[in-house]
Amino acid sequence: MEIYINGMACISHHDTVDENYFFEDIGSVPLNNQLIATEPNYKDHIPANLIRRMSHIVKMGVSTGMMSMKSAGLEEVDAIVTGTGMGCCEDTDKFLRMLLDNDERFLTPTSFIQSTHNTVAGQIALQIKCNGYNFTYVHQNLSFEYALLDAMMLLKEQEALTVLVGAVDEITPSMFELFYRGGHIKKLENVQPIWNSNTNGYIVGEGAGFFNISRIATPSTYAKIKGVKCIQGISDANELTNEVNSFLAEIGLEKDQISLVLSGNSGDVVTDKKISEFNKTINLPIAYFKHLCGEYFTSSTFALWLAANIIKRQVVPNAIFPDQAQVLNIQNILIVNHHEDNQYSLMCISKC
Amino acid sequence: MDALIDKLKGEIIEQLNLEDLKKEDIDANAPLFGEGLGLDSIDALELIVLLEKNYGIKIQDPKDAKAIFTSIQTMADYIKANQK
Amino acid sequence: MANKVFVTGMGIMSAIGNSVEETLYSLSNNRSGIEKIRYLETSHKDNFVVGEVKLSNKELIELAGIGTYNRTTLLGYIAVREALKMASITDMKEARTGFISSTTVAGMCHTELLYKGFFEGKNNENFMDHHLNGVSTNDIASHFGIRDYVTSISTACSSAANAMILGARLIKNNILDRVVVGGVDPLSKFTLNGFNTLMILDNEWSKPFDENRKGLNLGEGAAFLVLESEKWVKEKNKKVLAQLIGYGNANDAFHQTASSPEGHGALLAMQKAFKVAGITPDQIDYINAHGTGTPNNDASEGIAMQTIFKNHVPKFSSTKAFTGHTLAAAAAVEAVISILAIQNSMIFPCLNRKEQMKNLTITPVDTLEKNVSLDYVMSNSFGFGGNCSSLIFAKN
């Protein structure tokens, strides 16, 4: 059984909600250590009476979900599966500060109820009146991958014909400070091209990516999903190579059938070590994405959106491809992602 | 009294994020819930805290809130009657 | 999809005991674990009663002996250890083994103590190490060496039910041979105050399915089940506690926090569970209801039960007046209780109930019933975001 991406949408630092935009204007080095999302006009996607209570992440998630539905030409789906690494940081921060500052008095419910991790999935269900299966995964940088695995399993089980699957994460001033002081985020003066970085820390980002997937292809189909694999951790680059080889064998592809690898280098010289070594030895064209979207727990959504776009357009943007060699006839793209060398994931999509 | 109504309108717009509304758009006698402003049960809880925080009035039973929050006018009347 | 899913082990930490055995003792002796706040640091210490696990962090650290201070991980670890022991599992590599946990607040109980100081520059402790969902899951999985499918779910108060549903599906789809599933939530100021803003906490003992119910009592805890495939159980000739025969998840799509008056989502979840189980409503012998004791939940859930079971609603009770509402862990806590009911032919009562609910025709079991043969037990859990889940356990 094949699984198709029939619609998708992405909010990121760049103007990815504009269907015509494809990074034509972008250089290889971001100008900041924090890539804040470029937001659409949310009122185009969410009714005013729902929007007034929504925080940044909820608006990003719900509107991206709605845009994905629109791009698939759908008004309803059988199931909604979402992921988030950090959840609703703005609301959590707001409620926590209110609680601590006022000695647990004068608290209001809105930020509390919207701090739950399944707020986005619940709000989308509410908006499109979807009574179907509704799950939210919160497994750090594998949150989206596990959501996608579940969505694919629902299709295989014939429990659903179409599933809306996606993930979202936000960076708030508090979270920035927390990660910056913890040495996770790069100092501004250390920002370099991520594929050639010798400094510590990553460029932090945020964003949302949603996908309408189905067992049935439509005229709007972008690509088909060949496989997704989550890896709890690896000891060295060799192990990553072995995981990739066995993954490719599982999905029935030879290594030389992979047209392009999207590598999840974050620009942190320490935790990129294994993936950089892998990139050097795998002997395939390597492109990068985290200089465009930043590092966040569900950055894989951006990578998948980018890969599906590359396959449909048959164009590799110069901004992501340091080799600048011509890659023609893009058949299969492999995404290799990780977060600070903890958990790794592999995703492969193919041209239809 | 008009000053209190005016103040309440401002506070409600801010507390409930009714960003598209201006004070003059709100009729003090129009229903807050259902038809009128279209507020819901979560807004009611927000208003309970507003009364406690800004006016020192504590509503113990959420069931009482319904009558108090009929309109801005009834809220103002309640504040006037209960403020120490 | 013929592979059946069996429960071969369970572990539990809650206000009514630090093991399955202690839990059974409390349940069959009407001993609620809901008391004045003993361990949680809060200015509401005298305002609410809660279901705390009766161990301080220090005592939990000693009991677990794994070198972490995170209450979430500790509670989860101890419950998983008990479940694995009961299932006689020691070698994780002999079969494809997964771990699916769930939590709503994760390490919030520690974050809220460090947060202000961090941002005021008084401490530099990176509480992200325990704050994130997924951290306790990974910590527990790595302590036991589970690697094949390790993930975390968070769907508010139905979380652990959804962990169990995912686990069962992974076995049926032949992705795993066995999987440890459940949930954990510690008490925190964050949740206590959060539920307080919604005005759905009862200051005294909660009274699920009572006309004068005022709200819920929060609890904390962890519970995990070991699910194993029929094939693996047969191959290893393992002792089976129960079968997870049916499950369903649906969304109420009505309101962010409140349930629809007719309990539409609950109804759909139960219908799906019957379909998966291949049984009819009249075969259910007992329902462990969500029954939080809030005016909204019990009314909506009661209506949904009356609708699906027509005039023949089976015996039902909510056991939340024993344990408190343990949020993400609740469905797993109640799965353990449901299986204890099956094993011991008992129905544990709905405590504190006095007056019949006016909008319902049905009445919960409110005194302990013994010697009732239970073949099929249903357990329901509903959460914010309209998330509704239903599970059916079978004796054989």
Side-chain angles (χ1 to χ4, degrees), chain C residues 50 54-55 65 99 154 166 202 207 255 260 272 344 363:
Chain C
V50 295
K54 306 293 181 265
L55 292 168
F99 182 56
S154 194
L166 177 69
D202 193 331
K207 302 180 275 289
H255 185 269
S260 59
K272 281 188 188 178
N344 297 282
T363 307

Side-chain angles (χ1 to χ4, degrees), chain A residues 236-248:
Chain A
D236 54 30
N238 261 340
E239 198 179 330
L240 183 54
T241 307
N242 293 341
E243 289 282 2
V244 167
N245 288 336
S246 72
F247 174 65
L248 291 177

Side-chain angles (χ1 to χ4, degrees), chain A residues 2-49:
Chain A
E2 304 281 9
I3 290 171
Y4 301 92
I5 300 173
N6 291 341
M8 59 181 194
C10 173
I11 290 180
S12 73
H13 179 61
H14 296 289
D15 194 14
T16 42
V17 294
D18 177 351
E19 281 170 26
N20 299 313
Y21 177 83
F22 208 46
F23 309 105
E24 295 83 359
D25 58 330
I26 304 300
S28 60
V29 190
L31 302 170
N32 207 333
N33 56 357
Q34 171 170 220
L35 303 181
I36 300 294
T38 300
E39 301 179 272
N41 184 6
Y42 290 125
K43 286 177 184 161
D44 294 345
H45 311 286
I46 308 170
N49 62 335

